[in-house]
Amino acid sequence: MSHTIAAISTGSQVSAIGIVRLTGDDCIAVCDRVFSLQSGKTLADIPDRKLMLGALHDKQGRTVDQCMAVVSRGPHSYTGEDTVEFHCHGSPAVLAAALESLYLAGAKPARRGEFTKRAFLNGKLDLTQAEAVIDLIEADTADAAANAAGQVGGILQKKLAPIYDDLTNLCSHFHAVLDYPDEDIEDFALENYSALLRKNAKALYALLQTYGQGRILRQGVAAAIVGKPNVGKSSLLNALAGYDRVIVTDIPGTTRDTVEETVMLGHTRLRLIDTAGIRETGDQVEAMGIQRSKEAVENADLVLFVCDGSQPLTQEDQDIIDLCLECENAIALVNKSDLGAQVAPGDLPFLAVISICAKTGQGLDQLADMVDTLFEGESPCDGSILTNARQFDACRRAYEAMLRCMQGMQLGLTPDAVLTDVEEAMQAMGEVTGATVREDITARIFERFCVGK
């Protein structure tokens, strides 16, 4: 029997509607102690999934709110247990008073992610779906939301299930022949499974290849803005952010450390990194900032090289260009177009060169189109993209175990030795879906959730 837990599910901000959620074997009885239906019935008497009007009372018997209640009985509920939700007016004071009265009536405070954890433990969600719930809550682009919604719907699990089933069949065939030699079971021949193993290894590899797109989908594009001092890097960040995020002056070296800001540019989320101007300097603090700038370029998904188009290129510009060209995706931005042109597009060895004015915003639409083109994913955002580092690591280990398995077959190892790697691949995939997940992994996953989810 599971104890009843309660939490506010809609956050702590003022809103039109606030939801208090309970789940547990006796949650309906708990709610009946503090909630009176307008019809005179009890919650135990009402049908599932029907909103009913009533009054929620505090410990003194005063009415806290006139609100709606809805019951979903297990196993046909989100958690698989009896569940009640109160749809209240969204005052934080009202919701806090409602929660206090429910605690006094016998409910206990929910821990982070406990509702979704119960759904997982009760078989209502597999682990990929449970993790996708928090991704859907945190999604800040339409593509990220669509991919998370697909995973909540079980798309990722459906890609892994056939692989897991094939490996299960292989192992069960081997052990059946080994354990029941007198039964009429087809002889086990490992070579008969070689094509099946190759097919599933290819499927895992294809899934792993989606992680680059998935990481960007979830975290955004790490975009380093680089150039020598006073070319307009901070002005560009401010223009893209829509407010004065960084101090801008005519004094070279104003930005002495990396500054980060997340913005939407076109349809792409950028994690902009404004870097210190790269130049030779005797200032120890500025030199540290410049070193961080170089590290930001090395770790960036995109480099935005900025130069002052009203001045001829210098050796400092050329040194920074050489650094930028080491990045797979680099765009040159010729800034200060309002002051006349001293730099032609042909002077810069970039595939994309855009004339901009950070002060007026001229050219930023063209930059948005170019960034969207560079980072438009090849895979559909339908839930089939790996976005989770933990899932990626587990799938990588499963793939590596499959490779060892096929290598062992080529070397003529015995079936029991080869199947050790098959079982290791299965265990790794189980960490993704929850088939063999350990308690500590489960706890770590649900730590990401907020209370009430």
Side-chain angles (χ1 to χ4, degrees):
M1 180 173 178
S2 62
H3 62 272
T4 293
I5 57 173
I8 299 168
S9 293
T10 46
S12 58
Q13 301 299 314
V14 175
S15 59
I17 303 294
I19 297 176
V20 177
R21 175 186 291 171
L22 300 92
T23 192
D25 291 338
D26 64 344
C27 73
I28 296 175
V30 168
C31 294
D32 271 331
R33 293 169 194 154
V34 295
F35 184 71
S36 302
L37 283 167
Q38 194 175 64
S39 65
K41 296 181 178 180
T42 66
L43 290 175
D45 299 326
I46 67 171
D48 280 8
R49 291 174 289 280
K50 184 176 181 180
L51 283 167
M52 304 293 289
L53 179 63
L56 192 58
H57 307 288
D58 65 12
K59 60 184 178 182
Q60 283 89 29
R62 300 174 300 182
T63 298
V64 172
D65 193 17
Q66 294 286 335
C67 59
M68 308 292 287
V70 60
V71 174
S72 297
R73 291 175 176 84
H76 306 296
S77 69
Y78 177 69
T79 62
E81 306 167 340
D82 288 350
T83 302
V84 177
E85 285 186 355
F86 292 107
H87 294 228
C88 305
H89 294 91
S91 161
V94 167
L95 298 175
L99 204 55
E100 181 183 2
S101 66
L102 290 165
Y103 291 157
L104 291 172
K108 296 182 179 180
R111 296 187 295 271
R112 294 170 66 92
E114 190 167 2
F115 288 92
T116 303
K117 185 176 182 179
R118 290 192 180 194
F120 165 66
L121 294 174
N122 291 328
K124 305 299 290 185
L125 300 171
D126 76 359
L127 207 53
T128 63
Q129 293 171 299
E131 288 187 281
V133 170
I134 190 63
D135 289 341
L136 186 56
I137 292 168
E138 295 176 346
D140 51 13
T141 67
D143 283 347
N147 195 70
Q151 290 191 355
V152 170
I155 296 296
L156 186 55
Q157 192 273 342
K158 290 174 184 175
K159 292 180 77 71
L160 289 172
I163 303 174
Y164 193 89
D165 287 346
D166 282 345
L167 300 185
T168 301
N169 291 337
L170 187 158
C171 291
S172 62
H173 185 188
F174 171 75
H175 288 293
V177 171
L178 187 67
D179 296 339
Y180 303 100
D182 297 331
E183 298 293 330
D184 186 20
I185 301 173
E186 180 184 355
D187 290 341
F188 180 83
L190 191 55
E191 58 271 16
N192 293 342
Y193 287 96
S194 60
L196 181 99
L197 289 170
R198 282 197 301 272
K199 180 193 75 171
N200 286 316
K202 287 180 180 178
L204 276 175
Y205 180 77
L207 183 60
L208 289 171
Q209 293 304 107
T210 68
Y211 181 63
Q213 179 183 347
R215 179 182 58 80
I216 287 173
L217 192 66
R218 182 174 176 181
Q219 300 176 1
V221 175
I225 305 173
V226 296
K228 67 184 184 183
N230 265 29
V231 295
K233 299 184 300 299
S234 296
S235 296
L236 174 63
L237 184 141
N238 288 344
L240 294 174
Y243 73 106
D244 290 339
R245 171 66 175 84
V246 185
I247 296 173
V248 176
T249 73
D250 293 330
I251 303 171
T254 302
T255 302
R256 300 165 74 88
D257 199 354
T258 55
V259 178
E260 296 194 24
E261 181 71 17
T262 299
V263 304
M264 284 299 298
L265 184 62
H267 301 292
T268 306
R269 183 159 69 110
L270 296 183
R271 291 187 291 114
L272 290 173
I273 306 164
D274 182 25
T275 65
I278 298 176
R279 63 173 178 174
E280 292 295 329
T281 178
D283 186 313
Q284 184 178 0
V285 175
E286 186 179 0
M288 292 173 65
I290 291 170
Q291 179 57 38
R292 291 188 181 184
S293 298
K294 294 178 179 178
E295 292 171 359
V297 172
E298 292 173 0
N299 297 322
D301 302 307
L302 170 67
V303 170
L304 300 175
F305 167 72
V306 183
C307 66
D308 182 350
S310 68
Q311 301 292 329
L313 293 174
T314 66
Q315 185 57 49
E316 281 184 338
D317 287 311
Q318 188 57 57
D319 292 341
I320 300 168
I321 289 171
D322 293 340
L323 178 66
C324 293
L325 291 178
E326 295 177 8
C327 181
E328 181 179 356
N329 298 301
I331 299 174
L333 303 176
V334 183
N335 192 26
K336 304 186 182 182
S337 59
D338 56 327
L339 300 180
Q342 293 291 320
V343 179
D347 296 336
L348 297 167
F350 292 82
L351 293 178
V353 180
I354 302 172
S355 175
I356 68 165
C357 178
K359 183 183 295 185
T360 65
Q362 179 264 323
L364 297 187
D365 288 344
Q366 188 179 353
L367 173 61
D369 292 340
M370 178 57 64
V371 170
D372 282 343
T373 299
L374 283 175
F375 293 97
E376 183 179 11
E378 297 179 359
S379 301
C381 299
D382 59 359
S384 59
I385 300 172
L386 276 179
T387 59
N388 183 302
R390 188 195 69 82
Q391 293 173 352
F392 171 77
D393 179 65
C395 288
R396 176 190 58 77
R397 286 186 280 113
Y399 174 68
E400 290 174 353
M402 295 283 284
L403 291 182
R404 290 195 300 273
C405 167
M406 291 185 291
Q407 289 168 356
M409 290 178 62
Q410 292 175 351
L411 293 172
L413 298 182
T414 59
D416 59 324
V418 172
L419 262 61
T420 299
D421 291 317
V422 172
E423 290 171 357
E424 187 174 331
M426 292 175 62
Q427 183 177 357
M429 281 190 287
E431 292 179 19
V432 179
T433 62
T436 58
V437 70
R438 300 190 304 274
E439 184 177 347
D440 55 339
I441 295 177
T442 305
R444 179 63 56 83
I445 288 165
F446 287 97
E447 286 174 2
R448 293 182 56 216
F449 282 74
C450 54
V451 174
K453 296 296 183 288

